[in-house]
Amino acid sequence: MPDPNAPTLAAPTQTAWSAPLPDICGLMQSSPDGLSQTEALARLASTGKNLLEAAESQRMAIALLKRFGNPLVLILLFAAGIAAISGEQASFYIIATIVVLSVLIDFIQEHRAENAAAALRQRVALSVRALRDGKVQDVPAADLVPGDIVVLSAGNLVPADCRLLEARDLFVNEALLTGEPYPVEKNAKAESPPVDEATPDNAAFMGSSVISGSAKAIVLATGRRTRIGAIAGVLRKPPQPTAFTLGIHNFGLLIMRITALLLLFVLLINLLFDRPLIESFLFALALAVGLTPELLPMVVSVTLARGAVRMSRQHVIVKRLSAIHDLGSMNVLCSDKTGTLTEAHIKLVREVDIAGAKNNDVLHWAYINAAFETGLKSPLDDAIMEAAPTDIGGWRKIDEVPFDFERRRVSILAEQAGRRYLVVKGAPEDVLKHSSSYRQAGSNASRPLDDIARSTALATLERLGDEGFRLLGIAWREVEPDRDHADIADESELTFAGFAAFLDPPKESAREAIAALAGLGVAVKVVTGDNERVTRHVCAALGIAVSGAINGPELEKMTDEALSARLADTTLFCRVSPPQKARVIRALRRRGHVVGYPGDGINDAPSLQAADVGLSVQDAVDVAKEAAAMILLKQDLNVLAEGVREGRRTFSNIMKYVMMGTSSNFGNMFSMAGAVILLPFLPMLPIQILLNNLLYDASEIAIPLDKVDDAMITQPRHWDMAFVRNFMLVLGSVSSLFDFLTFGLLLWIFKAGESLFQTSWFVESLMTQVLVIFVIRTRGRPWQSWPHPALIACSLGIVALAILLPYTPLAAWFGFVPLPPQILLSLLGVSAVYLVIAEQVKRWFLSRHAG
């Protein structure tokens, strides 16, 4: 929370945005060397964190209040109020206490789980380079304050609203603020921007990203004082639902339908039998709550948080908890080639002309382009710089046309000895397309790039691709001596120098990891900007069977329907642009696949957002890390394979709660619905139903700790509502059958009255519900798969409590009476037979159904 006694700094006015450049630091009480650490801390105490979300204490209060906004909780509290008004004080206190305890257990456990996950996310929180005490330091983006001087480069997210002090070939994507998809050029001009200009050229705003170039800027506003902060509510769109969120939603709809039917049925029957209205209403409501697994949010949160902690030990940091399930459900991995399937230790090994002869001019021009490029450096640029130092002391950069993923090339306008040249490097096919002449090795004369020459160049390109080389095309043209600006239109009539050929060997660990993913039921599809020949070479080296390929130009012409029809038989998507990669991923998802995508560059952000689970690496650019749901601390597919296993373990434990809760609860609630027709009294008091439900939930709190059978990990796991519904109906019916058997024993053999009947069935229903946990938690025999000791202790402890409760002073509060020994022994016998039958029915059901 901001310190009220700390010094304050006013929000930026129009003066701060439009003041002359030399006056900015003074207005912001800063200096060209930035703030001191002491001053920065003082301002942080005054302005608060550089975040758009509410403060932690506010989020906690809102989260707690939201739980009381649950419709079932509101109805129960309303019912408790009716009980109080009608004089049922005991019912009021018990119902209100049980509801509050359920809400608090859910809130506390989920809050602790979220804290554990937040601590992990903090390990990969975004940082920014800022001047503090005159030195460039890495500062958490959340700790920036007005007056900080920040250093920006390609790939960075702009961390706050800033006025540019210096800028060099700076292009920024402001789509989030303006809706314009194309990058805009920024500069540090001193003159004032127009008062009504939304995004002036000399400012960079929070929510935008640096595409190319570099800059130094002073922070004018942070957090909610930024422009995006003022409209955050409007801009914040709900994320595209993932496989996990869709599954939770569908499960909720299933429970709501069944609950509504039972609720109306029971209420109608009680009214037809002229039973007390208030008692009938409370009974129906308690029945509805008994069917609803109200601790599901807590079980989900705790299970996912524990999964996140375990995955951190496997070098995977989870940013979005639901992504753990999505990773476990993943059955298609769309992977780029470089860095994921290859070592990304790229070396420049050849420089050749269009015929494949060695040509030193290629390295000369490539080196000039790479040396002066200020955009996001690629491994190819590093390889060029490492290949052979070239003396560029006599060269001076004039301008730059930054790289973008549509053009797939970068151009540098540079000068030497009064002559100016535009030097271009990029995708070979595109550079050739914009060239009109070429030079052979050892020649100083240019020749026309006619059809014969183009055929020769393409043959060389294909031959080198078949050998596994990754290629860049290098070209140049001389321009007028006074040309001081370059743009895309200048990239024409070029002289093609030749090809720079690079080797990027396949990763040693990738073959093993791909085999492991295949064993887990995950298919790998390669989506890359590289050409098909190079990609096939890498796939052959790694043992990836290629069933078909689609190239970018072909994909551009395909309809969504045509693409969908080709997906199953296509392994490679080559020469694809970033929007095309995202399109492939969305098409796979529409076909019902759960898709993962690893990426670390600016161009990967659309695909990371389109996938069910986006994965980035710790040293990725800010844009990629922000878009990803998980961060891999090691760029290794083996880490990903272990993450898939952990995701499936986590989802299996969530499904244990769902399967146990729905089948047992449905069985008991169905039995109660039938009992209201057969019995002259309620089969269980509303208070007893709520207590039964609370104790049953308590017995399952340790499920997140439970072990998972290996058989549950070998294939993708996902929500299957038909499987859940059928399992609930089959096992629930078996449970109801034994409930009706218990009714017969109590009524006809033991002649039980109302209180004795209700007490006996409370004990029997809780014993069968809890003990069947050990049957349902595994697909094998219960004695072959031991549960976690905590689950054993919780479950057996609750059973013991249920048996002992009628003999305690609390019994009268709940309407219980002591059970005679013969009844208790009979209930134990019924429960034992039920467990044996439930195991046989479970195995029969699983042998006929997949899930």
Side-chain angles (χ1 to χ4, degrees), residues 332-337 341 514 522-528 532 535-536 538-540 543-551 563 566-574 576 584 588:
V332 174
L333 177 70
C334 288
S335 174
D336 201 345
K337 180 175 64 64
L341 303 180
I514 289 169
V522 179
V524 175
K525 295 185 182 291
V526 182
V527 285
T528 177
E532 182 180 339
T535 307
R536 284 183 178 274
V538 172
C539 289
I544 300 176
V546 177
S547 57
I550 297 176
N551 286 283
L563 173 60
R566 293 274 304 274
L567 288 174
D569 300 323
T570 304
T571 307
L572 306 183
F573 298 86
C574 304
V576 290
V584 170
L588 284 164

Tab-separated table of all heavy atoms in Angstrom, residues 332-337 341 514 522-528 532 535-536 538-540 543-551 563 566-574 576 584 588:
chain	number	residue	atom	x	y	z
A	332	VAL	N	-1.201	-32.209	-29.551
A	332	VAL	CA	-0.437	-31.712	-30.691
A	332	VAL	C	0.507	-30.617	-30.190
A	332	VAL	O	0.084	-29.701	-29.498
A	332	VAL	CB	-1.348	-31.131	-31.795
A	332	VAL	CG1	-0.499	-30.489	-32.899
A	332	VAL	CG2	-2.235	-32.216	-32.391
A	333	LEU	N	1.785	-30.754	-30.537
A	333	LEU	CA	2.767	-29.707	-30.257
A	333	LEU	C	3.185	-29.093	-31.580
A	333	LEU	O	3.763	-29.772	-32.436
A	333	LEU	CB	3.988	-30.277	-29.528
A	333	LEU	CG	5.106	-29.257	-29.250
A	333	LEU	CD1	4.663	-28.257	-28.198
A	333	LEU	CD2	6.386	-29.957	-28.812
A	334	CYS	N	2.861	-27.815	-31.768
A	334	CYS	CA	3.309	-27.095	-32.953
A	334	CYS	C	4.623	-26.406	-32.601
A	334	CYS	O	4.645	-25.481	-31.782
A	334	CYS	CB	2.261	-26.060	-33.379
A	334	CYS	SG	0.794	-26.781	-34.108
A	335	SER	N	5.691	-26.865	-33.198
A	335	SER	CA	7.014	-26.380	-32.821
A	335	SER	C	7.719	-25.720	-33.990
A	335	SER	O	7.629	-26.193	-35.129
A	335	SER	CB	7.875	-27.554	-32.315
A	335	SER	OG	9.197	-27.132	-32.064
A	336	ASP	N	8.405	-24.614	-33.694
A	336	ASP	CA	9.322	-24.050	-34.675
A	336	ASP	C	10.534	-24.973	-34.743
A	336	ASP	O	10.673	-25.903	-33.945
A	336	ASP	CB	9.717	-22.640	-34.267
A	336	ASP	CG	10.236	-21.818	-35.441
A	336	ASP	OD1	10.548	-22.415	-36.489
A	336	ASP	OD2	10.349	-20.599	-35.293
A	337	LYS	N	11.404	-24.705	-35.675
A	337	LYS	CA	12.577	-25.564	-35.854
A	337	LYS	C	13.781	-25.050	-35.063
A	337	LYS	O	14.360	-25.761	-34.239
A	337	LYS	CB	12.921	-25.652	-37.349
A	337	LYS	CG	14.129	-26.512	-37.680
A	337	LYS	CD	14.289	-26.619	-39.181
A	337	LYS	CE	14.596	-25.272	-39.815
A	337	LYS	NZ	15.888	-24.698	-39.380
A	341	LEU	N	14.104	-27.689	-32.111
A	341	LEU	CA	14.561	-28.953	-32.687
A	341	LEU	C	16.045	-28.909	-33.038
A	341	LEU	O	16.663	-29.942	-33.260
A	341	LEU	CB	13.750	-29.282	-33.937
A	341	LEU	CG	12.227	-29.378	-33.751
A	341	LEU	CD1	11.551	-29.710	-35.075
A	341	LEU	CD2	11.880	-30.405	-32.696
A	514	ILE	N	11.267	-36.176	-28.569
A	514	ILE	CA	10.174	-36.402	-29.526
A	514	ILE	C	9.621	-37.810	-29.373
A	514	ILE	O	8.408	-38.030	-29.432
A	514	ILE	CB	10.673	-36.134	-30.955
A	514	ILE	CG1	10.887	-34.622	-31.154
A	514	ILE	CG2	9.689	-36.672	-31.986
A	514	ILE	CD1	11.618	-34.279	-32.417
A	522	VAL	N	1.462	-37.394	-27.966
A	522	VAL	CA	1.555	-36.017	-28.462
A	522	VAL	C	2.222	-36.029	-29.834
A	522	VAL	O	3.373	-36.455	-29.967
A	522	VAL	CB	2.357	-35.126	-27.495
A	522	VAL	CG1	2.458	-33.700	-28.043
A	522	VAL	CG2	1.718	-35.115	-26.110
A	523	ALA	N	1.508	-35.566	-30.840
A	523	ALA	CA	2.061	-35.471	-32.198
A	523	ALA	C	2.781	-34.136	-32.360
A	523	ALA	O	2.334	-33.115	-31.846
A	523	ALA	CB	0.952	-35.593	-33.230
A	524	VAL	N	3.905	-34.151	-33.063
A	524	VAL	CA	4.685	-32.935	-33.300
A	524	VAL	C	4.462	-32.480	-34.737
A	524	VAL	O	4.643	-33.243	-35.682
A	524	VAL	CB	6.188	-33.170	-33.045
A	524	VAL	CG1	7.000	-31.931	-33.419
A	524	VAL	CG2	6.423	-33.535	-31.588
A	525	LYS	N	4.042	-31.233	-34.893
A	525	LYS	CA	3.937	-30.594	-36.208
A	525	LYS	C	4.888	-29.413	-36.225
A	525	LYS	O	4.921	-28.628	-35.271
A	525	LYS	CB	2.504	-30.138	-36.496
A	525	LYS	CG	1.509	-31.305	-36.611
A	525	LYS	CD	0.132	-30.829	-37.008
A	525	LYS	CE	-0.858	-31.984	-37.071
A	525	LYS	NZ	-0.595	-32.913	-38.172
A	526	VAL	N	5.664	-29.297	-37.283
A	526	VAL	CA	6.690	-28.253	-37.383
A	526	VAL	C	6.118	-27.080	-38.180
A	526	VAL	O	5.709	-27.246	-39.335
A	526	VAL	CB	7.966	-28.785	-38.054
A	526	VAL	CG1	9.036	-27.692	-38.094
A	526	VAL	CG2	8.482	-30.016	-37.298
A	527	VAL	N	6.066	-25.914	-37.547
A	527	VAL	CA	5.610	-24.688	-38.223
A	527	VAL	C	6.787	-23.715	-38.201
A	527	VAL	O	7.214	-23.259	-37.143
A	527	VAL	CB	4.363	-24.092	-37.536
A	527	VAL	CG1	3.127	-24.899	-37.847
A	527	VAL	CG2	4.541	-23.998	-36.026
A	528	THR	N	7.321	-23.397	-39.359
A	528	THR	CA	8.577	-22.658	-39.417
A	528	THR	C	8.582	-21.678	-40.582
A	528	THR	O	7.890	-21.874	-41.590
A	528	THR	CB	9.765	-23.643	-39.547
A	528	THR	OG1	10.976	-22.904	-39.668
A	528	THR	CG2	9.608	-24.545	-40.752
A	532	GLU	N	11.133	-25.753	-46.977
A	532	GLU	CA	10.742	-27.142	-46.765
A	532	GLU	C	11.928	-28.098	-46.820
A	532	GLU	O	11.997	-29.060	-46.049
A	532	GLU	CB	9.702	-27.540	-47.815
A	532	GLU	CG	9.188	-28.953	-47.651
A	532	GLU	CD	8.156	-29.318	-48.705
A	532	GLU	OE1	7.563	-28.398	-49.296
A	532	GLU	OE2	7.954	-30.531	-48.938
A	535	THR	N	13.881	-28.043	-43.604
A	535	THR	CA	13.059	-28.604	-42.529
A	535	THR	C	12.961	-30.119	-42.632
A	535	THR	O	13.038	-30.838	-41.624
A	535	THR	CB	11.657	-27.972	-42.565
A	535	THR	OG1	11.778	-26.543	-42.551
A	535	THR	CG2	10.835	-28.403	-41.367
A	536	ARG	N	12.800	-30.637	-43.841
A	536	ARG	CA	12.766	-32.099	-44.025
A	536	ARG	C	14.092	-32.729	-43.601
A	536	ARG	O	14.109	-33.836	-43.031
A	536	ARG	CB	12.455	-32.438	-45.484
A	536	ARG	CG	10.998	-32.264	-45.870
A	536	ARG	CD	10.749	-32.688	-47.308
A	536	ARG	NE	9.352	-32.567	-47.694
A	536	ARG	CZ	8.427	-33.500	-47.498
A	536	ARG	NH1	8.772	-34.657	-46.933
A	536	ARG	NH2	7.178	-33.314	-47.881
A	538	VAL	N	16.137	-31.704	-41.251
A	538	VAL	CA	16.172	-31.752	-39.787
A	538	VAL	C	15.237	-32.844	-39.262
A	538	VAL	O	15.590	-33.608	-38.352
A	538	VAL	CB	15.793	-30.381	-39.199
A	538	VAL	CG1	15.625	-30.467	-37.679
A	538	VAL	CG2	16.849	-29.339	-39.546
A	539	CYS	N	14.043	-32.945	-39.836
A	539	CYS	CA	13.085	-33.961	-39.387
A	539	CYS	C	13.645	-35.371	-39.599
A	539	CYS	O	13.469	-36.251	-38.744
A	539	CYS	CB	11.762	-33.803	-40.128
A	539	CYS	SG	10.826	-32.338	-39.637
A	540	ALA	N	14.313	-35.589	-40.718
A	540	ALA	CA	14.907	-36.904	-40.980
A	540	ALA	C	15.973	-37.228	-39.948
A	540	ALA	O	16.078	-38.371	-39.473
A	540	ALA	CB	15.497	-36.932	-42.390
A	543	GLY	N	14.194	-38.215	-36.678
A	543	GLY	CA	13.252	-39.327	-36.703
A	543	GLY	C	11.802	-38.913	-36.710
A	543	GLY	O	10.922	-39.679	-36.308
A	544	ILE	N	11.504	-37.678	-37.170
A	544	ILE	CA	10.120	-37.228	-37.276
A	544	ILE	C	9.580	-37.668	-38.632
A	544	ILE	O	10.080	-37.245	-39.674
A	544	ILE	CB	10.014	-35.696	-37.138
A	544	ILE	CG1	10.550	-35.241	-35.779
A	544	ILE	CG2	8.577	-35.236	-37.321
A	544	ILE	CD1	10.572	-33.731	-35.610
A	545	ALA	N	8.575	-38.521	-38.628
A	545	ALA	CA	7.978	-38.992	-39.874
A	545	ALA	C	7.154	-37.866	-40.495
A	545	ALA	O	6.271	-37.299	-39.846
A	545	ALA	CB	7.095	-40.204	-39.611
A	546	VAL	N	7.454	-37.526	-41.725
A	546	VAL	CA	6.769	-36.438	-42.420
A	546	VAL	C	5.721	-37.028	-43.354
A	546	VAL	O	6.045	-37.755	-44.291
A	546	VAL	CB	7.770	-35.565	-43.213
A	546	VAL	CG1	7.027	-34.490	-43.997
A	546	VAL	CG2	8.793	-34.940	-42.269
A	547	SER	N	4.453	-36.693	-43.095
A	547	SER	CA	3.375	-37.242	-43.917
A	547	SER	C	2.899	-36.261	-44.978
A	547	SER	O	2.199	-36.643	-45.909
A	547	SER	CB	2.186	-37.639	-43.032
A	547	SER	OG	1.731	-36.534	-42.275
A	548	GLY	N	3.241	-35.003	-44.845
A	548	GLY	CA	2.810	-34.015	-45.827
A	548	GLY	C	3.311	-32.645	-45.434
A	548	GLY	O	3.735	-32.423	-44.300
A	549	ALA	N	3.293	-31.716	-46.386
A	549	ALA	CA	3.792	-30.368	-46.130
A	549	ALA	C	2.924	-29.344	-46.845
A	549	ALA	O	2.398	-29.603	-47.932
A	549	ALA	CB	5.248	-30.236	-46.585
A	550	ILE	N	2.764	-28.189	-46.199
A	550	ILE	CA	2.086	-27.038	-46.792
A	550	ILE	C	3.015	-25.840	-46.639
A	550	ILE	O	3.533	-25.584	-45.546
A	550	ILE	CB	0.740	-26.752	-46.109
A	550	ILE	CG1	-0.225	-27.918	-46.289
A	550	ILE	CG2	0.115	-25.463	-46.651
A	550	ILE	CD1	-1.552	-27.735	-45.560
A	551	ASN	N	3.232	-25.113	-47.720
A	551	ASN	CA	4.073	-23.932	-47.680
A	551	ASN	C	3.233	-22.671	-47.600
A	551	ASN	O	2.048	-22.655	-47.970
A	551	ASN	CB	4.981	-23.886	-48.911
A	551	ASN	CG	6.102	-24.910	-48.807
A	551	ASN	OD1	7.078	-24.716	-48.088
A	551	ASN	ND2	5.954	-26.035	-49.512
A	563	LEU	N	-7.964	-26.009	-45.269
A	563	LEU	CA	-6.876	-26.217	-44.311
A	563	LEU	C	-7.260	-27.280	-43.295
A	563	LEU	O	-6.466	-28.181	-42.986
A	563	LEU	CB	-6.540	-24.907	-43.612
A	563	LEU	CG	-5.534	-24.991	-42.454
A	563	LEU	CD1	-4.193	-25.534	-42.927
A	563	LEU	CD2	-5.351	-23.620	-41.803
A	566	ARG	N	-6.826	-30.746	-44.507
A	566	ARG	CA	-5.448	-31.191	-44.739
A	566	ARG	C	-4.663	-31.418	-43.446
A	566	ARG	O	-3.554	-31.971	-43.490
A	566	ARG	CB	-4.718	-30.124	-45.573
A	566	ARG	CG	-5.220	-29.954	-47.008
A	566	ARG	CD	-4.558	-30.919	-47.972
A	566	ARG	NE	-3.115	-30.835	-47.974
A	566	ARG	CZ	-2.399	-29.979	-48.716
A	566	ARG	NH1	-3.034	-29.123	-49.532
A	566	ARG	NH2	-1.080	-29.992	-48.680
A	567	LEU	N	-5.182	-30.958	-42.311
A	567	LEU	CA	-4.393	-30.959	-41.074
A	567	LEU	C	-3.916	-32.346	-40.665
A	567	LEU	O	-2.766	-32.523	-40.265
A	567	LEU	CB	-5.211	-30.336	-39.929
A	567	LEU	CG	-5.411	-28.831	-39.986
A	567	LEU	CD1	-6.359	-28.379	-38.870
A	567	LEU	CD2	-4.077	-28.098	-39.853
A	568	ALA	N	-4.804	-33.324	-40.737
A	568	ALA	CA	-4.463	-34.659	-40.240
A	568	ALA	C	-3.298	-35.268	-40.999
A	568	ALA	O	-2.494	-36.022	-40.423
A	568	ALA	CB	-5.684	-35.579	-40.330
A	569	ASP	N	-3.141	-34.927	-42.277
A	569	ASP	CA	-2.102	-35.538	-43.108
A	569	ASP	C	-0.910	-34.610	-43.346
A	569	ASP	O	-0.110	-34.855	-44.248
A	569	ASP	CB	-2.696	-35.948	-44.464
A	569	ASP	CG	-3.821	-36.959	-44.309
A	569	ASP	OD1	-3.710	-37.823	-43.425
A	569	ASP	OD2	-4.805	-36.877	-45.064
A	570	THR	N	-0.795	-33.565	-42.552
A	570	THR	CA	0.283	-32.590	-42.752
A	570	THR	C	1.139	-32.484	-41.502
A	570	THR	O	0.623	-32.255	-40.405
A	570	THR	CB	-0.284	-31.206	-43.109
A	570	THR	OG1	-1.118	-31.327	-44.264
A	570	THR	CG2	0.835	-30.223	-43.405
A	571	THR	N	2.446	-32.674	-41.683
A	571	THR	CA	3.392	-32.563	-40.573
A	571	THR	C	4.150	-31.245	-40.611
A	571	THR	O	4.469	-30.679	-39.565
A	571	THR	CB	4.406	-33.725	-40.617
A	571	THR	OG1	3.703	-34.962	-40.667
A	571	THR	CG2	5.308	-33.710	-39.392
A	572	LEU	N	4.439	-30.737	-41.807
A	572	LEU	CA	5.272	-29.546	-41.952
A	572	LEU	C	4.470	-28.376	-42.510
A	572	LEU	O	3.706	-28.536	-43.472
A	572	LEU	CB	6.451	-29.821	-42.894
A	572	LEU	CG	7.345	-31.020	-42.588
A	572	LEU	CD1	8.488	-31.073	-43.588
A	572	LEU	CD2	7.863	-30.963	-41.168
A	573	PHE	N	4.662	-27.213	-41.902
A	573	PHE	CA	4.140	-25.955	-42.420
A	573	PHE	C	5.348	-25.030	-42.556
A	573	PHE	O	5.877	-24.534	-41.551
A	573	PHE	CB	3.097	-25.371	-41.474
A	573	PHE	CG	1.893	-26.247	-41.283
A	573	PHE	CD1	1.902	-27.251	-40.319
A	573	PHE	CD2	0.769	-26.095	-42.079
A	573	PHE	CE1	0.802	-28.073	-40.141
A	573	PHE	CE2	-0.334	-26.917	-41.911
A	573	PHE	CZ	-0.320	-27.909	-40.943
A	574	CYS	N	5.811	-24.836	-43.794
A	574	CYS	CA	7.076	-24.142	-44.047
A	574	CYS	C	6.845	-22.794	-44.725
A	574	CYS	O	5.840	-22.576	-45.390
A	574	CYS	CB	7.993	-25.008	-44.911
A	574	CYS	SG	8.316	-26.639	-44.209
A	576	VAL	N	6.059	-20.062	-43.429
A	576	VAL	CA	4.818	-19.450	-42.954
A	576	VAL	C	5.138	-18.203	-42.142
A	576	VAL	O	6.158	-18.134	-41.440
A	576	VAL	CB	3.983	-20.436	-42.110
A	576	VAL	CG1	3.399	-21.524	-42.983
A	576	VAL	CG2	4.806	-21.051	-40.985
A	584	VAL	N	-2.851	-21.773	-38.290
A	584	VAL	CA	-2.731	-23.237	-38.218
A	584	VAL	C	-3.134	-23.731	-36.830
A	584	VAL	O	-3.869	-24.722	-36.690
A	584	VAL	CB	-1.295	-23.674	-38.564
A	584	VAL	CG1	-1.097	-25.159	-38.243
A	584	VAL	CG2	-0.990	-23.403	-40.036
A	588	LEU	N	-6.281	-26.221	-35.813
A	588	LEU	CA	-6.134	-27.463	-35.057
A	588	LEU	C	-7.078	-27.490	-33.855
A	588	LEU	O	-7.680	-28.519	-33.541
A	588	LEU	CB	-4.679	-27.622	-34.591
A	588	LEU	CG	-3.678	-28.048	-35.671
A	588	LEU	CD1	-2.251	-27.783	-35.209
A	588	LEU	CD2	-3.852	-29.526	-36.028
